[in-house]
Amino acid sequence: MSLLSTKNLSKDYIESVMEKAKEMEEYKGNAMKGKILATLFYEPSTRTRLSFETAMLRLGGQVISVADSKSSSLMKGESLEDTAKVVGKYADVIAIRHPQAGTAKKMSENAGVPVINAGDGSANHPTQALLDLYTIIKERGKVNRLSITISGDLKNSRTASSLVYLLANYDVRLKFLAPEKLKMKGEVKEFLKEKGMDFSETSDVEEGLKNADILYATRVQKERFENPAEYELLKDSFVFNRAMIEKYNPNMLILHALPRVNEIATDVDNLPGAAYFRQVENGVYVRMAVISLLLA
Ligand code: NCD
């Protein structure tokens, strides 16, 4: 099995990841001794690659990595299929990030070992969504009956759509706060409608923050814009500062996959609900859980 998307994960699987991740907070064993994780990152990353590698090392396993994707044979013209067949001979599990949607799936069809999608273009980023959900549960003790506002570049953010697919398994009130040009992907809204799940959309910040228990902010995804001028126009659509948050809910839980650019002013960082750096730590536990479950 591979972990490619959150769209069709069963609630049982999601809950087993949550339970396992909790166990991993105290884990001191070496269940992955003798196993190797390969990280193949064809797009920039700090957290995701380092936390996958940390997770495998903390499980007692080992890691191999292409130091710089520009130095890999894909640059010589090797097909992704061939790269998959090769890396599958070295590693027991592969984490891949690539700018093109569908790449992780293609890799999983050729590698012969489990593949974890660490981000494919604007499409999916399942481990990020699982760690976001884990953070919500850890910080708030529940998911059901929370009002969650997801803001920013909802057209291009793979973390936003991946999280929504997970949240569709729970009884939550979803609000999408995005500029007109960066509204939530149609396919995600269709999915919610088919599930009979309520959501609302707005481009007005006040409306977006009103009644929110949780704000999940995303970065305007510069690398997905064809026209740099359009990015410049949209990049600072929403800049949340401390006063804005306090006005609506001083205890609001504030999440962000990071990196942040200007979406969250640094004066928010000391609010009790500013959880984005705690979220980073949870990423290690969740990735330990995902690797353990895939290789069990
Ligand atoms: C996110 C990503 O790569 O999609 N970052 C991450 O994995 N922590 C979000 C982003 O880059 O904006």
Side-chain angles (χ1 to χ4, degrees):
M1 212 192 86
S2 288
L3 178 60
L4 303 176
S5 151
T6 47
K7 194 168 175 179
N8 296 311
L9 292 181
S10 71
K11 196 163 180 185
D12 275 356
Y13 177 82
I14 297 166
E15 289 182 348
S16 64
V17 174
M18 299 298 113
E19 263 166 48
K20 192 83 179 164
K22 184 143 196 281
E23 217 179 281
M24 290 298 143
E25 295 214 8
E26 306 298 328
Y27 188 77
K28 295 281 182 285
N30 56 0
M32 290 299 126
K33 189 163 183 240
K35 302 279 188 205
I36 294 175
L37 163 76
T39 52
L40 299 180
F41 278 63
Y42 299 103
E43 241 191 11
S45 166
T46 305
R47 269 153 298 274
T48 306
R49 186 163 67 82
L50 289 182
S51 73
F52 265 113
E53 296 184 356
T54 304
M56 191 55 165
L57 295 172
R58 286 221 185 151
L59 288 164
Q62 288 170 295
V63 176
I64 54 173
S65 184
V66 173
D68 169 7
S69 61
K70 290 187 185 56
S71 70
S72 82
S73 282
L74 275 188
M75 295 300 144
K76 293 187 191 164
E78 182 169 59
S79 70
L80 194 92
E81 287 86 343
D82 283 3
T83 300
K85 285 175 188 155
V86 169
V87 180
K89 293 282 183 287
Y90 304 143
D92 301 284
V93 54
I94 299 170
I96 178 172
R97 168 170 289 187
H98 195 281
Q100 217 174 313
T103 311
K105 181 163 186 290
K106 202 190 268 182
M107 177 140 277
S108 74
E109 288 159 358
N110 291 279
V113 298
V115 170
I116 306 171
N117 186 357
D120 62 333
S122 304
N124 300 287
H125 192 352
T127 58
Q128 179 67 46
L130 287 162
L131 79 88
D132 297 338
L133 180 68
Y134 184 73
T135 304
I136 293 174
I137 295 170
K138 190 165 155 184
E139 297 276 335
R140 289 295 177 262
K142 62 169 190 178
V143 191
N144 288 328
R145 285 174 300 286
L146 292 173
S147 291
I148 305 176
T149 294
I150 301 185
S151 79
D153 185 353
L154 306 187
K155 176 181 172 206
N156 297 303
S157 166
R158 55 195 176 200
T159 69
S161 52
S162 297
L163 179 60
V164 171
Y165 287 134
L166 282 188
L167 292 174
N169 290 282
Y170 298 87
D171 172 24
V172 291
R173 281 182 295 266
L174 288 174
K175 204 182 271 181
F176 301 140
L177 168 61
E180 209 43 48
K181 289 216 159 105
L182 300 176
K183 282 169 80 171
M184 179 54 89
K185 294 166 202 155
E187 66 200 87
V188 177
K189 291 187 274 188
E190 280 310 310
F191 178 88
L192 291 175
K193 282 182 196 155
E194 274 165 31
K195 280 219 149 199
M197 257 191 90
D198 236 8
F199 63 88
S200 62
E201 290 187 277
T202 180
S203 52
D204 179 70
V205 180
E206 309 267 323
E207 182 55 36
L209 291 179
K210 205 160 59 187
N211 302 320
D213 299 308
I214 300 178
L215 171 64
Y216 185 91
T218 66
R219 172 179 69 89
V220 178
Q221 308 279 296
K222 182 179 184 181
E223 63 278 34
R224 312 282 176 231
F225 282 75
E226 274 166 27
N227 177 358
E230 176 146 276
Y231 169 73
E232 287 304 317
L233 275 176
L234 290 167
K235 66 176 187 188
D236 292 329
S237 298
F238 306 123
V239 180
F240 303 106
N241 61 38
R242 187 176 181 117
M244 289 159 81
I245 303 291
E246 282 181 325
K247 176 174 169 197
Y248 288 98
N249 175 3
N251 285 316
M252 197 181 298
L253 181 64
I254 303 156
L255 301 177
H256 192 303
L258 304 178
R260 70 172 150 186
V261 184
N262 288 321
E263 310 77 61
I264 301 179
T266 50
D267 69 356
V268 175
D269 295 1
N270 293 324
L271 281 173
Y276 24 95
F277 294 111
R278 298 194 287 276
Q279 203 177 338
V280 169
E281 180 184 335
N282 295 334
V284 175
Y285 307 134
V286 168
R287 291 185 172 114
M288 287 171 79
V290 164
I291 294 170
S292 305
L293 292 170
L294 283 178
L295 293 185

